Structures are given as C-alpha cells and as structure tokens.
C-alpha cells in the first residue's frame, strides 16, 4: 500500500496511461480524483476502481481552462479533505502522425501548446498554491515524452514536451524548500493506447500488431511501451519511496534514449 491515505488527482484518466495509473494508484491505497475531458470515459475508470474495492470520483475537466483545473483540485479537497498528488498526464498528438514542421498550421500549434504545455503549467501552478496553503509538501508528476528528449519527428509535439520537461525541473528547484517534489515520466512509442489512434493510426487489430512490432524493434529491449509500464513508474515517483527524488525526467522507453 505505497499510497495509503494519499489523495491524488490524475488528468486524462479516461483511457491509456491515465486510466492505468488511476487503477494502480487506487490499488496502492490512494483515493483518486479521475479527471478527463470525456465524462463518460472517466466514469468508466471510476467504476473499474470501485469494482476493485478502491475509492475514486470522476470529474470533467479541460486542462487548458484555468477554471476547470481549479475546480478539479477543489474536488479533491471537497471530497477527501486535501491534495497530496497531482499527476498531469493529459497530452494530445499531432493531427496526423508523421507530420513535418512545415505542414503544421498556426491552429495546430495553438492546440498542441494549449493542452500539452499550458495544461501542465496550470496544473503545476494551482497544485503548488494548494500545497503551500495546506503545508506539508506535495508531489507533482508530469507526462513528458522521449520526443522532448531527442529529435524524433513530430516537431511541435516534441517542443511542447520539451517545455514540460523544463517546467518540471524548474518547479522541482523552486519548490524544493517547501517539500514539494516534481518529476516527469518520458514514454516512448505506445501503440496499444488511444494516443496513436488520435493521431490517425487505424485501430484495426492487425494494424496495432504491426505498429507494436515496429515500435518494439526501435527499443533495445525489443518491446513496445504499455500504459501499465508508465503506471508502475508513476506509482514509484509519487510514493514516499521516491522521497529524495525530484527534477527527474525518467524515460520509460526500453532503452531508446540510451543509445
């Protein structure tokens, strides 16, 4: 029970890494506020947690809207009394996988930055304010990407994740005196989540299998990354076992960026 009695908010909890992390946090004893722009999806996550004897509530939130972020954190305090952990997990891909820089429109750029970077900024800002008001520190975890660590295509997407990485390190240093930790996980290719589908990859089983094979071949360990891989890393980083770990960008990538 690594997260026993901890109160956590997870964004993007309606699917993929967010849902896997919500399930694992609850399994480790956390009470979880599951936030997503799709209320139907996030209510499904909450039902899965409750069926496994966990505790969770659902909230609809657009992370690019400051009022929604504040209300999301208020839900944690209102239902469970405080906030201990914020996991800024929401991210969106480029409109089409493989897009080159010059193919992006200003509208593409604005949408990617508003969700992937502005959303993390807003989450960090209001979590820090809440932690300082409460006293006793707190933990922030962000979802970055190997695309923000190396040049990997998806230029605008990678730039937003590079911004998330720098924000993570800066918050870690600024807030260390108050006992607030801030880290990020940096996943590589995850063909079995809805992320690639959102970028236009067909969800047909044979397409997913081929994508998993190709993705795995790009990783030294030979396997694609799963949502569950990321959830395990997330549990560690938000737990007290990582009490002296902050400002870390942890690749979950099968060794991709080590080459």
């Amino acid at each position: 029970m690594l997260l026993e009695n901890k109160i956590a908010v997870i964004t993007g909890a309606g699917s993929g890494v967010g849902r896997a992390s919500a399930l694992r946090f609850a399994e480790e004893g956390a009470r979880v506020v599951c936030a997503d722009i799709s209320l139907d999806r996030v209510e499904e996550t909450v039902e899965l947690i409750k069926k496994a004897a966990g505790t969770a509530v659902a909230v609809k939130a657009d992370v690019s809207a400051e009022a929604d972020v504040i209300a999301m954190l208020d839900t944690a305090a209102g239902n469970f009394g405080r906030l201990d952990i914020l996991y800024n997990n929401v991210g969106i891909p480029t409109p089409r996988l493989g897009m080159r820089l010059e193919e992006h429109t200003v509208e593409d750029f604005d949408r990617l930055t508003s969700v992937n970077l502005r959303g993390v900024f807003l989450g960090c800002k209001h979590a820090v304010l809440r932690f300082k008001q409460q006293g006793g520190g707190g933990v922030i975890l962000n979802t970055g990407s190997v695309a923000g660590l190396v040049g990997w295509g998806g230029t605008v997407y990678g730039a937003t994740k590079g911004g998330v990485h720098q924000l993570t390190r800066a918050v870690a240093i600024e807030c260390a005196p108050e006992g607030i930790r801030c880290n990020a996980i940096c996943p590589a290719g995850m063909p079995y989540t809805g992320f690639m589908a959102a970028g236009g990859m067909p969800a047909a089983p044979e397409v997913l299998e081929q994508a998993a094979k190709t993705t795995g071949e790009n990783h030294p360990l030979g396997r694609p990354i799963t949502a569950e891989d990321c959830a395990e890393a997330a549990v560690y980083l938000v737990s007290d076992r990582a009490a002296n770990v902050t400002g870390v960008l942890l690749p979950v990538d099968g060794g991709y960026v080590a080459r």
Side-chain angles (χ1 to χ4, degrees):
M1 302 293 283
L2 293 178
L3 305 179
E4 189 171 14
N5 298 322
K6 300 291 187 182
I7 312 303
V9 173
I10 301 177
T11 67
S15 62
V17 173
R19 175 174 285 183
S21 297
L23 292 168
R24 283 292 291 121
F25 281 28
E27 186 178 15
E28 291 291 349
R31 286 168 283 178
V32 187
V33 174
C34 299
D36 200 281
I37 199 165
S38 168
L39 187 59
D40 289 343
R41 287 202 305 262
V42 83
E43 285 178 340
E44 290 175 2
T45 301
V46 168
E47 284 305 308
L48 291 171
I49 289 171
K50 289 180 176 179
K51 285 179 182 178
T55 302
V57 296
V59 61
K60 179 183 173 71
D62 175 353
V63 297
S64 69
E66 189 167 25
D68 281 17
V69 172
I70 294 170
M72 175 182 77
L73 300 183
D74 285 345
T75 299
N79 281 269
F80 304 121
R82 61 180 288 115
L83 174 71
D84 297 304
I85 299 161
L86 171 63
Y87 184 7
N88 290 309
N89 167 67
V90 167
I92 59 172
T94 56
R96 188 183 76 254
L97 294 175
M99 283 182 72
R100 300 179 67 84
L101 171 65
E102 64 270 22
E103 296 178 293
H104 285 80
T105 65
V106 171
E107 290 75 21
D108 296 336
F109 179 90
D110 288 345
R111 182 168 182 266
L112 284 161
T113 54
S114 70
V115 175
N116 291 358
L117 186 54
R118 174 187 167 108
V120 174
F121 157 73
L122 290 172
C124 287
K125 172 185 174 178
H126 290 288
V128 166
L129 288 170
R130 186 65 56 104
F131 292 149
K132 288 183 176 180
Q133 179 186 27
Q134 293 174 168
V139 181
I140 298 170
L141 180 63
N142 300 322
T143 293
S145 172
V146 297
L149 295 172
V150 300
W152 195 26
T155 309
V156 177
Y157 171 80
T160 66
K161 291 301 184 177
V164 169
H165 297 167
Q166 184 58 24
L167 187 63
T168 298
R169 289 182 289 213
V171 170
I173 299 306
E174 284 187 9
C175 298
E178 286 82 24
I180 298 169
R181 297 191 298 109
C182 187
N183 295 295
I185 64 169
C186 304
M190 295 186 291
Y192 291 114
T193 69
F195 187 79
M196 288 187 174
M201 188 182 78
E206 62 274 13
V207 176
L208 290 176
E209 288 301 320
Q210 183 56 48
K213 181 177 183 296
T214 302
T215 302
E217 288 171 350
N218 287 330
H219 303 157
L221 286 178
R223 299 189 299 274
I225 308 306
T226 68
E228 290 72 24
D229 292 330
C230 296
E232 293 300 331
V235 166
Y236 166 69
L237 287 172
V238 303
S239 77
D240 290 342
R241 288 190 179 179
N244 211 24
V245 178
T246 196
V248 164
L249 310 177
L250 176 63
V252 183
D253 67 346
Y256 181 84
V257 300
R259 288 198 289 204

